[in-house]
Amino acid sequence: MPSNSKPKLATLWLSGCSGCHMSLLDNDEALLDLAKNIQLVYGPLVDTKAFPENVDITLIEGAVANYEQAAFLKEVRKHSKILIALGDCAVTGNVPALRNTIKDSANAVLQRAFVENSDKQPLIPTDVPKLLRKVYPLHEVVKVDHYIPGCPPPAGNIAYVLTELLAGKIPIMENKSKYG
Amino acid sequence: MSSKRLNFCWGVKKLKPADIIHLAETELDAHRSYKYRINVCCSSGCIPFGALKVLKAFEEAVKEFGVQKECKVARTGCIGTCSVGPAVMVEPGDYLYQSVTPEKARQIVRDHVVLGLPVKEMLYGNKAYFEKQHRLVMKNAGKIDPYRIEDYIAAGGYSALVKCLLRMSPKEVIDEVWLSGLRGRGGAGFKTGQKWTFVARAHRSPKYIVANLDEGDPGVFANRTLAEADPHAIIEGMLIAAYATEANKGYIYIRAEYPLAVETLKKALDRARAMNLVGQNILETNFSFDIELRLGAGAFVAGEETAILASVEGNRANPRPRPPYPAASGLWKSPTLIDNVETLANIPQIISHGGLWFSKIGSPTCTGTKCFSLTGKVKNPGLIEIPMGITLREVIFDIGGGPPDNKKFKAVLVGGPSGGCLPETMLDLPIDYESLTKAGAIMGSGGIVVIDEDSCMVDTAKFFIDFCVDESCGKCTPCRVGLHKIQETYTRIMDGEGKPEDLDFLRSISSYIQDASLCGLGQTAPNPVLTTLRYFGKEYNEHIVDKKCVAGKCSFKHQVKEDEL
Amino acid sequence: MTTKTVSLKIDGHDISVQEGTSILEAAIENGIDIPHLCFLEGLTKTGACRLCLVELKGQAKLFASCSTPVSDGMEVITDSVKLKEYRKKTIQLLLSERTHVCSVCVANKNCELQALADKLGVDHVAYEREWTGEKVDSSHPFLVIDRNRCILCTRCVRVCDEVEGVHALDLKLRGKDSQIIVDFDDSWANSTSCTSCRKCAKVCPVGAIYVEGEPLSQTKDRNIANFVLSRRKK
Ligand SMILES: Cc1cc2nc3c(=O)[nH]c(=O)nc-3n(C[C@H](O)[C@H](O)[C@H](O)COP(=O)(O)O)c2cc1C
Ligand code: SF4
Ligand code: SF4
Ligand code: FES
């Protein structure tokens, strides 16, 4: 297959620990098969600055915690045919969203990180992107087409969903999905 | 009440059946010796208007004019015109005075009693209010002194019990109730005769009866009014039910927020007990049945039949799954009959006049009458009793007089917080269990709230969802969490953050809650949501798409979500 | 005592069980799986979670299989499209109600709620989560209650009352505000009735009550109520 007619895959890393990407890489030699059938056009694994247009499948790791991410996610949605929430942070909010259990959490976490825990120059920096009031899972911000929960999601589940989608089928998560 | 005084009064130690008839005659003679009788409504509706002062003024005026011998002043229950209290009825002729003050009381005694000239300008002028009503359960209300068992007996009270004890077998009593077609007035409309049969067939003792006077629906006061006006009708109904089902012990479950009703029932029970009508060997027969009051803490869900059982037993008022039904396993796992107090209050008359007579009142599938608290935007709110089968239009416009101040009628909520909001086009619906259910409403325990053009239907639905969220017992997932999700969706819509897909969400979660909830609260709570969506869908769209509220109730205060998401 | 047997059909399978058995028990006995949470063998059936709902042929209503006794000729359907959808809704509502973060929960991999979510394919929660921040009570020497994970199944309340015979645990408030309390809403350390028997931790389907420092795989014992009660009968 000529590379420009192969489906385009992008991956995205929002507020997450990169574990989901690690899990994707955990597919080891299966990745080689996958690589034959797709072109990887964007992500932490690729050196591209702007999000490309007409992406077929976008895998997104991490929750939405700040305005920058929210805006970017909306852009990504516009350019992605299929958008997949990858891992518990993207699906539920998970650990980043634990701050939702405290009052005025955006300020509280900044205070804790940059003031209470700093031994030198306690100061909230002005150049961190502005935090949202709450941390959101992807589907509370944009429409999400498929979900692969797990912390991290099992490598096999990622491969399964991608394979099914590339084959034009709808993945079924019954008895497969895995939280935590 | 000392039995000494009884002995003194009636010359008997323990009343026997014949004494009831004798007592009724003596009492009637006493009544006849008065030329006039002034009934002053002193129920919870009229007391805030100063009814007790008016009562005192009448007593003083009668003394002042020296007509004590001709004119009896009686403290009674609800006369029915709660919005223009204190209401006073002068007999003979049923002259109904409205908004009586102590000064006016004196004038009424002077002009009407002494001079024989009714005070025309103070009379309640609205004939239509009573024309379409049919006072059956409330026939004694406003006519007898609820504190005097003698008044009740004079009005024919306890004669049905006597008839049962002397001349009917338990089975014949149940047959009569079957024949009457009476259906439960607590909401579900289950055939009373059927329920009694189940309990009668359970061959285990002890058996219990619980009279349901929880009445947790906001703005509904029909049961309270009944208990305040005619407590003995409830007691007699219970006694007959006990006789028919061979029950041993009864409880009247009443919310503690009804102090006057509690006191009235307590006094009534004491008197009935003192007169050998409640307790061991009633009227010197071998029928025994004691009745106790149980005060509830006023949770809406406590009115649900399995929750009421838990509460009477002293536990948290949580519903439990059925089967087993209370008729098989109720209080302390014994067969238990649970009936609404209005259902029970119908019984004495069914026994006295026969089931056939009763079955001719109302509509064929829904016999008898039903008491409603008519409230909201109507000219004549109050406690009404109507024959089953008349239309909502008749109730709202003929009896209620329609919305005041020339406002346009918009909707009517039938069946309390989990009822349905019906539009103008549904007003010709006859009031019976099936028609209401088909339209998406329920009979409930007797609330009709009229809504005019000033109200927003989205806001109205939210109001009732808020109520059900607060009142959900929290036991089962659909009701506890699902209703909360509905509530959040409404808050968003009213804050201007509604999305078109919210409507589908509301519909689908509503049917899930209806189907999956454990008890009637959850199963009916989405009714206001579904009916407003069905009949007032346009308003939802205006809120969501145009961010507009025709009634101007919704603030849309977060036009843009704080997070700009 | 002779007990009658009752014949019924579950998903087309012919089954006979003793009279008085619930549909769910009959299904379990015969290897048919109906998802359930609040039910625990040996404890009173409360029909609270509504996960075990089934359809009965000829009836419009749904029935909680855990609390509905079998009857002759009954035809039970456990896996209709509607039931599947409703189960997913129930699980999602439970997951959204409080704070469930499996990855950092003591019950991760030993949680009945998590297992059901996975099994039923609840790959996300369509409802906004509440993210409650109730204080965790770890005052007891080793029993901990984290109410943010509680799904109000009341297994703990029932096991404490019906098996241990103590009734140290109960519920306060109602609706979504309901909470499990110890004694009269005291901290666990101050409880005068709790015998520290751990039964609550053994039966809690999630990670709401647990024994500090002990892996939940070791604590959990779904059979405890049944075991104790059957010993007592002997
Ligand atoms: C949430 C809920 C609240 C109820 N409240 C009342 C009530 O206040 N009074 C009442 O009589 N019945 C109430 N009921 C109905 C009772 O469960 C029961 O059906 C009724 O008392 C039976 O009496 P009946 O056959 O005479 O109607 C309620 C039901 C539900 C589900
Ligand atoms: S439907 Fe609501 S009130 Fe009824 S049991 Fe369930 S939570 Fe309680
Ligand atoms: S603490 Fe555990 S066992 Fe108790 S009600 Fe909550 S989830 Fe159920
Ligand atoms: S297991 Fe049956 S309702 Fe919870």
Side-chain angles (χ1 to χ4, degrees), chain B residues 301 319 471-476 479-480 517-523:
Chain B
V301 72
E471 294 295 328
S472 160
C473 81
K475 181 170 180 172
C476 73
C479 170
R480 180 183 76 236
S517 291
L518 169 61
C519 87
L521 195 154
Q523 286 160 8

Side-chain angles (χ1 to χ4, degrees), chain C residues 39-226:
Chain C
F39 168 82
L40 189 76
E41 238 178 303
L43 301 182
T44 309
K45 294 144 184 169
T46 66
C49 72
R50 314 308 284 168
L51 210 56
C52 69
L53 291 180
V54 293
E55 289 172 20
L56 296 184
K57 211 168 204 168
Q59 305 237 34
K61 269 175 55 182
L62 304 179
F63 291 81
S65 60
C66 64
S67 61
T68 310
V70 292
S71 63
D72 251 324
M74 194 179 241
E75 286 188 42
V76 184
I77 301 150
T78 75
D79 59 355
S80 69
V81 175
K82 182 183 187 172
L83 289 174
K84 281 187 183 159
E85 183 206 318
Y86 281 7
R87 277 179 205 140
K88 281 186 161 184
K89 280 206 162 78
T90 304
I91 294 283
Q92 291 184 55
L93 287 173
L94 288 174
L95 283 171
S96 75
E97 186 184 12
R98 295 185 177 187
T99 307
H100 292 278
V101 182
C102 302
S103 58
V104 293
C105 176
V106 277
N108 195 8
K109 307 284 179 297
N110 286 297
C111 172
E112 292 174 43
L113 179 63
Q114 182 190 36
L116 279 168
D118 289 348
K119 187 170 163 182
L120 301 176
V122 178
D123 56 11
H124 75 293
V125 174
Y127 315 117
E128 215 171 293
R129 291 176 180 244
E130 295 300 327
W131 300 107
T132 55
E134 287 289 325
K135 259 215 159 86
V136 177
D137 179 357
S138 55
S139 62
H140 184 277
F142 54 84
L143 287 166
V144 185
I145 178 160
D146 180 350
R147 296 179 174 88
N148 300 301
R149 295 175 183 148
C150 173
I151 57 168
L152 297 170
C153 70
T154 70
R155 279 190 193 175
C156 55
V157 176
R158 284 174 286 154
V159 83
C160 184
D161 176 31
E162 297 166 15
V163 182
E164 182 62 5
V166 165
H167 206 139
L169 302 175
D170 210 326
L171 287 164
K172 73 166 179 186
L173 301 178
R174 65 174 175 234
K176 64 181 173 38
D177 302 327
S178 305
Q179 293 291 6
I180 296 292
I181 52 167
V182 187
D183 283 5
F184 293 105
D185 200 11
D186 218 331
S187 68
W188 211 325
N190 288 341
S191 169
T192 48
S193 59
C194 170
T195 60
S196 303
C197 74
R198 306 172 186 225
K199 288 192 182 70
C200 48
K202 287 179 194 294
V203 300
C204 181
V206 292
I209 299 184
Y210 56 93
V211 176
E212 210 171 333
E214 184 177 281
L216 265 182
S217 51
Q218 200 176 315
T219 313
K220 293 233 158 153
D221 182 0
R222 284 202 50 159
N223 203 30
I224 180 75
N226 210 24

